[in-house]
Structures are given as C-alpha cells and as structure tokens.
Amino acid sequence: LHKSGFGFSCGVWFGDAFVFDLENGDRDCTGLPINLASKLAEDFGQEGTFVSSDIKLEEGTEVEEVSVTISGVEITANKLI
C-alpha cells in the first residue's frame, strides 16, 4: 500500500482476546490487545506498523522504539522500519 501512495497505520499486540458470535452469523472480537493495537495505530499520529515489544520478531528486523500516552497510559512499542 505504501508503495502505491496510500498511507496506513497498523497496530499489532499480544494477549488474550474474547471472540464471540454475532446475531447475523459473523464473529467479532474484543479485549485489551485489540484495544491497544487499535489505539496505537489510530492515536500515534504516524504512518507505519507498530508491534508490541512483547512480540518476538525475526532476527535482523529493524525497529525503532516508540512511546505514546493515550488516556493517561504510556504505551511502548516497536515501529517497524
């Protein structure tokens, strides 16, 4: 997407999530890791992919440690370079 001129922001977090069925037959999920990933991607104010520092990345992956305070809570993550 980025190479095509589209800007994007993506958050990836690790943890337990609650998956549930919707009345129309679809499924949805919620939980702390989903909320954190979403907030990080939306509220950090930068394009890119942001990954929980708890997630082990492939050796040699270049990252920049970033922090943002959202609703009074400081979140630290890795931004893929």
Side-chain angles (χ1 to χ4, degrees):
L1 289 175
H2 189 68
K3 290 180 182 179
S4 299
F6 291 96
F8 72 94
S9 185
C10 174
V12 180
W13 215 261
F14 175 78
D16 294 329
F18 176 65
V19 180
F20 56 96
D21 295 323
L22 300 174
E23 289 182 14
N24 66 2
D26 290 343
R27 298 181 90 189
D28 202 354
C29 56
T30 189
L32 183 62
I34 293 161
N35 294 340
L36 287 173
S38 173
K39 295 302 272 178
L40 188 61
E42 291 176 3
D43 295 351
F44 194 72
Q46 293 185 20
E47 292 181 0
T49 302
F50 302 90
V51 180
S52 166
S53 53
D54 293 334
I55 295 175
K56 183 174 179 168
L57 300 172
E58 185 175 311
E59 190 174 324
T61 302
E62 292 186 51
V63 297
E64 171 188 352
E65 187 176 277
V66 294
S67 294
V68 62
T69 301
I70 300 170
S71 301
V73 176
E74 184 176 13
I75 299 172
T76 302
N78 292 316
K79 179 179 179 182
L80 301 183
I81 298 175

